[in-house]
Amino acid sequence: MGELLRVEGLKVAVEGKEILKGLDLQINAGETHVIMGSNGAGKSTLFNAVMGNPKYVVTAGKIYFEGRDITEEPVNERAKSGIFMAFQAPISVQGITVENFIRNAKGTITGQSQRIMPFRKKLRQQMDQLSMDRSYAERYVNDGFSGGERKKAEILQMCMLEPKLTMLDEIDSGLDVDAVRIVSETVAQYHNETNSILVITHHSEILQKLKPDFVHILINGKIVKTGDASLIQEIEANGYDAFKELAR
């Protein structure tokens, strides 16, 4: 498995406040990684920095994707390279339907025009797998969607865009038990030896399907401990306070 993402000594500031304080992370193709930590630790900041959100200013360190320095690349170039982020709180987009939004994005990423009928057939298959009403394809992106349907729409985009690196920012928050099962099963089915999954979560339910290879504990802007899935039970038993001394 080749290296997909490498983050070296990453420091990131938001509105002048340093959030990440020298973070290192490497993800190889085919791996599933989980980032866990208390609120404000810097988990979402890491995701946004990797995605290239200009609000998150890299003050030191480097981000490499498939061996290429992307630290200064804009969001659209990173998306074309195969990086995808599913948001914790997806926003609505007026004036463009779900189908057209994803179809346009797919065409931009691949550089190839998407034929309507084959694209629509695959889209409907993926919507069925996610237990989404097909009528949502003709609605404006997330317009009037429930929280659960917005999260499913994010996973629908993932399935259709086929990124190499998928970052899921608390995709399970606000979902009921059935929706968590559907979403996690869909992500697990999508995952293979050529792509990687990076997950932020506070819950273990979604990880029962995703089966992480590595679990990282993020405290005060740094990864202080990395382990296998057994680390999740340690966190559930002892909380994050037990790891705070490692951040000093």
Side-chain angles (χ1 to χ4, degrees):
M1 295 184 293
E3 176 187 285
L4 198 59
L5 177 74
R6 176 162 42 98
V7 176
E8 294 183 348
L10 192 66
K11 295 184 179 181
V12 176
V14 180
E15 297 179 349
K17 180 180 179 180
E18 187 174 69
I19 306 298
L20 297 186
K21 304 175 180 180
L23 186 145
D24 298 302
L25 177 66
Q26 180 175 324
I27 300 176
N28 297 323
E31 295 178 344
T32 297
H33 290 241
V34 177
I35 303 285
M36 303 188 79
S38 56
N39 291 332
K43 303 182 299 296
S44 293
T45 297
L46 170 62
F47 277 30
N48 278 281
V50 171
M51 196 68 245
N53 186 332
K55 179 182 175 182
Y56 297 77
V57 180
V58 175
T59 58
K62 294 289 185 180
I63 303 170
Y64 298 92
F65 190 69
E66 295 187 310
R68 190 181 78 259
D69 185 352
I70 63 168
T71 311
E72 303 296 331
E73 281 192 359
V75 174
N76 63 310
E77 291 300 324
R78 301 188 198 205
K80 287 180 182 179
S81 297
I83 302 176
F84 174 81
M85 179 176 172
F87 292 93
Q88 181 177 345
I91 63 172
S92 60
V93 182
Q94 295 290 325
I96 185 168
T97 66
V98 169
E99 179 177 332
N100 286 338
F101 177 79
I102 299 176
R103 184 165 168 255
N104 289 339
K106 182 73 171 181
T108 300
I109 289 171
T110 63
Q112 298 176 343
S113 178
Q114 302 296 299
R115 295 172 57 198
I116 293 178
M117 295 313 295
F119 178 87
R120 185 170 293 168
K121 180 180 179 181
K122 182 177 180 181
L123 183 71
R124 289 173 174 175
Q125 289 173 341
Q126 295 293 349
M127 294 184 79
D128 291 346
Q129 182 176 342
L130 285 162
S131 296
M132 291 184 70
D133 191 306
R134 290 183 178 183
S135 65
Y136 277 74
E138 300 306 315
R139 293 171 60 175
Y140 292 155
V141 177
N142 293 328
D143 185 34
F145 289 21
S146 68
E149 294 299 337
R150 289 184 181 221
K151 296 297 183 70
K152 287 183 178 181
E154 293 287 286
I155 300 303
L156 178 64
Q157 292 176 46
M158 177 202 73
C159 292
M160 297 299 296
L161 299 180
E162 301 177 302
K164 298 172 185 176
L165 174 65
T166 296
M167 299 186 294
L168 304 176
D169 188 354
E170 295 193 37
I171 197 69
D172 51 345
S173 66
L175 298 184
D176 60 31
V177 174
D178 288 335
V180 170
R181 176 184 55 79
I182 291 168
V183 165
S184 58
E185 286 178 349
T186 302
V187 174
Q189 183 173 333
Y190 171 76
H191 181 45
N192 58 43
E193 62 184 12
T194 67
N195 60 51
S196 299
I197 309 293
L198 181 58
V199 185
I200 293 173
T201 184
H202 291 289
H203 310 289
S204 61
E205 289 82 359
I206 192 171
L207 303 179
Q208 294 174 7
K209 294 288 185 182
L210 299 186
K211 299 178 181 178
D213 299 294
F214 298 95
V215 176
H216 310 278
I217 299 178
L218 185 60
I219 302 288
N220 194 27
K222 291 184 178 180
I223 292 175
V224 299
K225 188 169 184 178
T226 295
D228 59 19
S230 64
L231 193 53
I232 298 168
Q233 283 70 48
E234 189 175 341
I235 295 168
E236 291 180 337
N238 303 314
Y240 296 114
D241 287 343
F243 302 98
K244 285 185 177 179
E245 289 188 359
L246 298 175
R248 296 176 182 174

